[in-house]
Every structure is written in structure tokens, then in C-alpha cells.
Amino acid sequence: WLDGTDVGVSHTGAPFKGSLDGLYLQPLEERLAANHGSVYGDGKPFFLWLDLKQGSAQLQDAIAARLAARPGLTRFDDSGVVTPGAVTVLLTGDATAKTALTARAAPRPYARDSNDYSPKDPQLDGRWRSYAVNYYAWLTWDGVGEIPSDQRRQLRNLVNGVHATGRTLRIYSAPEQAAYWREAKAAGVDFIGADDLAGLAAVMRE
């Protein structure tokens, strides 16, 4: 959210938990310095999703300025050339804001997702790199017990269709159930989210 001239962080607006710089960008930069150039010291990439809650030009300007000033971020060109960094920023949320930001001059320290998938979508480019879709727009299974065969087929068709465009997939509002996490992992969902991080970690280690 726009907080005066700053970028405030909150799910629903003021009061804010803090700023984008204070909660995320500065701590990540400090971790890169302390861990030999990667967030966890293992050389693996780290993804930072920024959920844009507003479409205003002022918020876009504030975000663009703060990200441009930070080293260590992956850069994207219009031609699709990617200059890897330790942290990759993906814009999600307000379609107007994330589309306008990725229309700015390249190279850009961020790319965007789309909340809608269609088999007719164009191939991967330097602006649009991922999808973030609502679980219940595609599936009805509640994550309890065995997944019905038609639901498994639907999930795998979605993953395969997304991957055919060259993009990655994140599914939000999915069941907080180990059975779902296992199915998502087996299907190849790229980003599996959970509030129960310990439970998800246990499934990932199986």
C-alpha cells in the first residue's frame, strides 16, 4: 500500500506492519552480505512476491524506485533475457499496477504474474513470468482423504498447461492439508504455500 510517500506492508491497509524497505529489502540485503551472496548461504535462488493492493501511479513509482536502488535482484529484459540475481521479485495482486510496472523501461528488477490462465496464452517473455491462480477456480477437493481421479487430472492439466507456456505456477487459497501438499508436489506445482510451515516442511522432506 502507499503510505504517504513510503510503501507500507499490510494485508488490509493501515495500520501497517512496517515498510517494504524495513521488513524485506534491507533485511534481505543484509543476509546477502552475511551469507556470501545468497539469502541462506546455499547459492539457491530466493523469490520475493509483492502483492500490490492498489493501482495508483504513486505506488508504482515508489515501488520502482525502491527496487531499482537494491543490488542483488534478478533483472529482466524485454527480449526475455534474464540476468540472475540472488533475489527474484515477482509482482502479484492489482493487475493495473503490475502490468504498468512491467511496461516500464528495461532492464527491470521485477517481473509479474497473472491471476488468469488460458491455454491460448502467449509464451513466456521478459515481463510475464508466472501465474497465481485461486485453488477453487480450478478444483473442489477439500484436501481430505484421497483426491478424486478427475480432480487429480484437472490439477495436472493445469500444471502442464502453465509449464507449456514456459511459466511457473503458484496456487493460493488451497487447502491446508498434507494430502493436498503431496498432490501439488507430485503434480509439479512450482510454489506451494501454507500458513503451517512446519507441516509443509515435513511433507517436503518425505
Side-chain angles (χ1 to χ4, degrees):
W1 302 85
L2 190 67
D3 180 17
T5 59
D6 205 352
V7 179
V9 176
S10 167
H11 186 62
T12 57
F16 299 105
K17 303 294 185 181
S19 70
L20 175 61
D21 281 310
L23 291 177
Y24 292 98
L25 300 182
Q26 186 61 36
L28 284 171
E29 196 169 294
E30 291 169 359
R31 291 185 71 101
L32 296 183
N35 294 327
H36 309 290
S38 66
V39 172
Y40 288 107
D42 54 9
K44 294 181 179 180
F46 183 92
F47 292 86
L48 175 64
W49 295 78
L50 297 186
D51 188 1
L52 309 180
K53 298 293 189 178
Q54 298 168 298
S56 72
Q58 293 89 342
L59 177 62
Q60 295 169 37
D61 289 343
I63 288 174
R66 280 154 180 78
L67 295 178
R70 296 290 179 177
L73 301 184
T74 298
R75 258 63 181 181
F76 299 92
D77 205 340
D78 285 335
S79 63
V81 173
V82 178
T83 304
V87 176
T88 296
V89 175
L90 292 171
L91 307 177
T92 191
D94 186 272
T96 298
K98 64 189 179 186
T99 302
L101 277 165
T102 52
R104 296 191 176 205
R108 292 172 293 273
Y110 49 77
R112 71 169 177 90
D113 69 12
S114 172
N115 299 118
D116 300 299
Y117 163 72
S118 167
K120 298 179 181 180
D121 286 338
Q123 289 292 299
L124 176 77
D125 58 30
R127 300 179 180 185
W128 176 12
R129 309 290 297 185
S130 190
Y131 291 89
V133 302
N134 187 311
Y135 177 87
Y136 290 101
W138 293 89
L139 300 163
T140 58
W141 178 51
D142 62 4
V144 176
E146 183 77 13
I147 185 173
S149 59
D150 66 320
Q151 294 285 283
R152 177 179 286 133
R153 184 167 58 251
Q154 175 81 336
L155 176 61
R156 297 192 176 193
N157 285 343
L158 172 62
V159 172
N160 292 339
V162 165
H163 288 173
T165 72
R167 297 184 177 91
T168 57
L169 175 64
R170 178 172 67 92
I171 300 178
Y172 63 89
S173 296
E176 287 272 316
Q177 300 287 346
Y180 164 70
W181 297 330
R182 293 187 184 99
E183 289 292 339
K185 182 179 180 182
V189 175
D190 301 281
F191 298 95
I192 302 175
D195 292 326
D196 178 9
L197 297 182
L200 176 60
V203 168
M204 294 295 105
R205 286 195 295 264
E206 288 176 352

